[in-house]
Amino acid sequence: MRQLTLFLYSSLDGYAEGPNGAMDIVFVAYNEELEQFANKVLSTADTVLCGRQTYEMMYGYWPDMINNPEASEHEQNHANWIHNVQKVICSTTLQSADWITVHY
């Protein structure tokens, strides 16, 4: 049996969205401590499960960070990790998904 690890940004009132909607997570203070925590948690993961909006947000950002000279070391490392893991996308509306291995 596999282990499921949830890595979710959430505000103290339990919402996983900012004032401008679900993908507005400007309330996250991403710093070195959070980078280290993310690296530790995600280093054990080999599959990412997400919905259409998260997939589209990630696909719109991370592939360009792999070779981006302006990306931080953390961004480049995370971009390589996300590129290499299996991606499972749960969506009934996604028309195409070129960056994934499984689509439900």
Side-chain angles (χ1 to χ4, degrees), residues 1 7 10-11 25 32 35 37 39 43 45 47 55 57 61 66-67 76-77 90 93 95 99-100:
M1 180 179 291
F7 191 86
S10 179
S11 60
I25 57 171
E32 187 176 326
E35 281 183 18
F37 176 75
N39 290 341
S43 69
T47 304
Y55 165 78
M57 177 196 63
Y61 183 79
I66 293 174
N67 296 312
Q76 290 179 342
N77 290 338
C90 298
T93 60
Q95 297 299 311
W99 194 45
I100 66 166

Side-chain angles (χ1 to χ4, degrees), residues 64-98:
D64 294 334
M65 292 297 109
I66 293 174
N67 296 312
N68 184 337
E70 296 181 19
S72 69
E73 181 180 356
H74 172 73
E75 286 175 311
Q76 290 179 342
N77 290 338
H78 187 75
N80 279 302
W81 172 81
I82 194 76
H83 176 75
N84 290 314
V85 296
Q86 180 177 2
K87 294 161 210 61
V88 179
I89 312 305
C90 298
S91 172
T92 59
T93 60
L94 190 63
Q95 297 299 311
S96 66
D98 301 326

Side-chain angles (χ1 to χ4, degrees), residues 40-54:
K40 180 180 177 184
V41 171
L42 298 177
S43 69
T44 64
D46 62 1
T47 304
V48 173
L49 170 67
C50 58
R52 178 189 54 83
Q53 287 186 325
T54 300

Side-chain angles (χ1 to χ4, degrees), residues 9-23:
Y9 299 115
S10 179
S11 60
L12 292 175
D13 59 3
Y15 286 94
E17 65 180 40
N20 296 316
M23 302 316 283

